[in-house]
Amino acid sequence: MEIGIDSFAAVLKNNQGETISSEQSIKELLERIQKADEVGLDVFGIGEHHRKEFLDSAPTMILAAAAARTKRIKLTSAVTVLSAIDPVRAFQNFATLDLISQGRAEMVVGRGSFTDAFPLFGLKLEDYDELFTEKLDLLLKIRENEVINWKGRFRPALYNQAIYPRPLQEKLPIWIGVGGTPQSFVRAGMLGLPLMVAIIGGETHRFRPLIDLYRNAGLKAGHSLDQLQVGLHSLGYVAETTEDAHEEFYPGYAEMFTNIGKERGWPPVRREHFDSQTTKLGAFLIGNPEEVAEKILRHSEALGGITRVTFQMDNAGLTHEKLMKAIELIGTKVSPIVNGK
């Protein structure tokens, strides 16, 4: 199983609780990606947001900088908000990243959990699903064909138009990032694309019916089970002890999600809710290395087998030093247990 980290390039605080500069935050993020590579993690993903607290509005720029500092780790989006970008440009960006990284680029595409990109780029929220469907169709056609003939509703048509550069990999990996919408699972299965499931709350095993929908749709469309890979993206953090992991992660997590909740009408985060997510069945991968590894294996069994797990850690207000230590523990202790090494 591949083990990795996802980051939203959050602006962090130092050990004195002071917010550090954007410049320093990016510098430290690149150090964490390099660390992940050094300790043997398989993948590092950068999200895409257009908000003050995150620095990931241009994720391929960060990934390209990371490519120059790493040797083997896969570099991916987490996720590319495909609804709000021209698929031609998205493909060109990631094909270029693939060349820079010598074949280590991937994409996870989705509609995004925030809607900031829609007004920013002059898009209508009522077109939310249609935009994604049309742009995914074009992106996949570009991946398969150097010369494109295509016509849609939201973008000017393409007639005998060649798209360059082409990636180093024969087929640039494209995953579909999903939340809890059944239609999204079915669509990914019908297309035979690997699935990255964001589970940031509830009990992970409850997503099994949706993953079964995905696999059944894929098999019905003629795709093999080997092609229908499932990845899991979860909030997570690893420390030497479970108590340390919980106590260090909770304050920043509560602050971040309470603030987001004010925008979306959610109630403030309470400790009992957090604690329910760190139980054996809860979604959060937070604890000591052995406990987290066991939970990953339990989640995999409950979901019918998963091939990738990514930890989302840096939106909980943790310092760079704590994140670096967590990455080390995930690479040197959690991953070997999960993979029987």
Side-chain angles (χ1 to χ4, degrees), residues 30-48:
L30 292 173
E31 290 175 0
R32 294 196 294 278
I33 301 175
Q34 186 172 352
K35 181 71 171 181
D37 186 49
E38 291 169 354
V39 299
L41 290 180
D42 301 288
V43 60
F44 204 107
I46 301 293
E48 180 190 338

Side-chain angles (χ1 to χ4, degrees), residues 118-137:
F118 283 79
L120 182 62
F121 297 110
L123 303 168
K124 297 178 181 178
L125 271 175
E126 54 262 37
D127 296 328
Y128 187 76
D129 191 59
E130 288 179 288
L131 275 164
F132 181 76
T133 301
E134 179 178 298
K135 292 187 175 188
L136 178 60
D137 174 67

Side-chain angles (χ1 to χ4, degrees), residues 144-157:
E144 299 298 328
N145 303 281
E146 189 172 322
V147 179
I148 298 295
N149 285 280
W150 179 90
K151 187 175 182 180
R153 174 185 168 196
F154 298 103
R155 187 204 189 282

